[in-house]
Amino acid sequence: MTTQQLQEQIQTKKSFLCIGLDVDLNKIPEHLLATEDPIFEFNKAIIDATHDLCVSYKPNTAFYEAYGITGWKSLEKTINYINEKYPEIFTIADAKRGDIGNTSSMYARAFFKDLNFDSVTVAPYMGKDSVEPFLAFEDKHTIMLALTSNEGAFDFQTQNVDGKELYKVVLETSKTWKNSQNLMYVVGATKAEYFTEIRKIVPDSFLLVPGVGAQGGSLAEVCKYGMNENVGLLINSSRGIIYASNGTDFAEKARTEAMKLQQEMAEIIK
Amino acid sequence: MTTQQLQEQIQTKKSFLCIGLDVDLNKIPEHLLATEDPIFEFNKAIIDATHDLCVSYKPNTAFYEAYGITGWKSLEKTINYINEKYPEIFTIADAKRGDIGNTSSMYARAFFKDLNFDSVTVAPYMGKDSVEPFLAFEDKHTIMLALTSNEGAFDFQTQNVDGKELYKVVLETSKTWKNSQNLMYVVGATKAEYFTEIRKIVPDSFLLVPGVGAQGGSLAEVCKYGMNENVGLLINSSRGIIYASNGTDFAEKARTEAMKLQQEMAEIIK
């Protein structure tokens, strides 16, 4: 998917909502556990109930790997379902990968070709040659961690590197890499006041923003400081939407929560 | 596996060799491609031919994920084979994972419980709460990236943070985390001169050292600066051993290459 197609979808749906499909079998409605593939059935119901309110789905691979091969099958079925039924959706494999060059190429192949995701999240610690193999894929997007939503972000990301915080060095350096136009960045909503500085470095890039809802970030604050003229934001909510109810009405309640966010977004876009 | 058991194995085998099982279907002997599970058959032959010369096997998950569910099945069969037939071997899932706390817990579960690896590699960028969920597992080990073997290591890892290189800050900070006794660190062999400084910070920790062989690092140099009184090193070689031949003699040739390294190591331990 091209960036322009994503932007058009945002305008059409008046939404820049990304729904995180982080499925924990301990949290999903009990009646689904009797089905052959509870994770997929849960995702399918959530997707059918919310696809017109969001522009993106983001399964976090950890939640699938934790169930071994069964989990990977559920992941594969989920991405195939989205790609076939709702091809306009921007899909994100939240995998936070990164390795030496020839190994990162294998990860890129796994997520971009084998699973056919539109994008994958990567970690920056290993530098240029760990990220460029992802950037080499045309019409695919690489979403690099910049400033994350967790407490541990303050351990290294905000450390002072020659007068500048590390995450800023990461942002600036990444702009010099080959095919850097395919980069997007993860910036946590829990750190809204940082968006002004970040927009000075990457004014045009899309930012994937976790941390709204369960982690305490505010949508209005993020938009105030982080939005650009093309919106340029994908706001992720996972638990707040998908676990809105653990009864048989879970999909309906997920839709209600997604709609609240979408309506807030429609107001902001206007 | 406890650290002491690993140390005993090193003394018994007079080896601190780790063999990287990074299987690329384009590089393995053609006759294996006709078997039902070429990746597993390749690994099994390599393992049977080298298990007495090495103390550890390290499959890099990228090479398995690239083949989707088929690849994950091969990974599962490989780790099960090692655990059943050679339980003395220290197994490493080279996965370079890391995410917010509840998500890292899912990764820890995937590699420590579901697949039953002895250890997993993790990336430090997201800080304390992204690593501690791994450290919580007793008799399991978390191998954190410190200074990697690739060129991109110089992009961020060696940046000056208030007068000190970032990788040193990473090493020092990690020592303050809960259950930090379960930490080991990745330090690339291509940067042998750095080991002296690293040993000042983590004198007792095991260091997993990639980059000997194909990437150009020297075993003698690494040992000179990096070894401690318990050896404290796991030297990884992947391509130099497993692709020593792509004929029907691949396992035999892999043994020859592994033995060269093991004999060099036996001399050094003496």
Side-chain angles (χ1 to χ4, degrees), chain A residues 61 107 125 128-129 146 152 155, chain B residues 61 107 125 128-129 146 152 155:
Chain A
T61 52
Y107 279 130
Y125 192 72
K128 174 176 166 164
D129 54 309
D155 284 332
Chain B
T61 51
Y107 279 130
Y125 193 71
K128 175 176 167 166
D129 54 308
D155 284 332

Side-chain angles (χ1 to χ4, degrees), chain A residues 130-144:
Chain A
S130 72
V131 178
E132 282 191 341
F134 293 97
L135 297 176
F137 282 75
E138 211 178 332
D139 290 344
K140 298 287 185 180
H141 304 265
T142 305
I143 310 178
M144 193 163 79

Side-chain angles (χ1 to χ4, degrees), chain B residues 10-185:
Chain B
I10 289 172
Q11 293 305 328
T12 308
K13 292 182 174 172
K14 298 190 193 332
S15 170
F16 41 101
L17 177 61
C18 171
I19 297 180
L21 300 173
D22 303 347
V23 188
D24 183 338
L25 287 182
N26 296 314
K27 290 186 185 162
I28 71 174
E30 227 181 291
H31 71 281
L32 290 178
L33 298 178
T35 63
E36 200 191 328
D37 187 343
I39 297 178
F40 174 67
E41 292 303 331
F42 179 81
N43 283 344
K44 183 172 172 293
I46 295 281
I47 293 162
D48 286 338
T50 58
H51 66 93
D52 56 322
L53 302 171
C54 68
V55 295
S56 180
Y57 290 107
K58 179 177 78 62
N60 186 307
T61 51
F63 289 82
Y64 300 83
E65 291 180 26
Y67 300 106
I69 287 162
T70 312
W72 271 87
K73 279 188 189 160
S74 305
L75 178 64
E76 193 174 270
K77 280 168 77 175
T78 300
I79 180 67
N80 289 343
Y81 185 76
I82 300 170
N83 282 340
E84 280 160 29
K85 196 150 174 203
Y86 308 110
E88 77 281 7
I89 291 282
F90 182 73
T91 53
I92 304 170
D94 194 1
K96 300 186 176 70
R97 299 297 198 263
D99 210 307
I100 61 170
N102 71 319
T103 309
S104 270
S105 297
M106 297 302 263
Y107 279 130
R109 174 178 151 174
F111 291 107
F112 290 153
K113 292 182 85 172
D114 188 54
L115 291 170
N116 200 15
F117 275 93
D118 292 313
S119 66
V120 64
T121 58
V122 301
Y125 193 71
M126 294 182 68
K128 175 176 167 166
D129 54 308
S130 73
V131 178
E132 282 191 344
F134 293 97
L135 297 176
F137 283 75
E138 212 178 334
D139 291 344
K140 299 286 185 179
H141 305 265
T142 305
I143 311 178
M144 194 164 78
L145 301 181
L147 185 62
T148 58
S149 59
N150 63 325
E151 265 304 299
F154 298 109
D155 284 332
F156 309 121
Q157 297 167 25
T158 55
Q159 289 283 327
N160 188 325
V161 177
D162 288 331
K164 198 183 292 172
E165 288 146 307
L166 175 62
Y167 75 89
K168 290 184 185 169
V169 177
V170 167
L171 286 167
E172 284 172 1
T173 306
S174 71
K175 289 174 71 176
T176 67
W177 297 342
K178 197 174 175 191
N179 296 313
S180 63
Q181 75 279 4
N182 294 336
L183 275 169
M184 302 179 173
Y185 301 94

Side-chain angles (χ1 to χ4, degrees), chain A residues 182-248:
Chain A
N182 294 336
L183 275 169
M184 301 180 174
Y185 302 94
V186 173
V187 181
T190 43
K191 300 175 178 64
E193 67 271 30
Y194 290 82
F195 277 83
T196 312
E197 293 291 302
I198 288 168
R199 276 301 181 204
K200 287 183 191 160
I201 307 170
V202 288
D204 301 324
S205 303
F206 261 92
L207 306 179
L208 170 64
V209 186
V212 163
Q215 291 179 62
S218 147
L219 173 63
E221 286 287 298
V222 168
C223 292
K224 182 175 165 190
Y225 299 111
M227 199 171 253
N228 66 19
E229 57 184 9
N230 295 312
V231 178
L233 295 173
L234 291 170
I235 304 285
N236 184 73
S237 175
S238 302
R239 288 168 273 176
I241 292 177
I242 68 174
Y243 299 133
S245 158
N246 68 354
T248 50

Side-chain angles (χ1 to χ4, degrees), chain B residues 13 116 141 206 223 235 238 244:
Chain B
K13 292 182 174 172
N116 200 15
H141 305 265
F206 261 92
C223 291
I235 304 283
S238 301

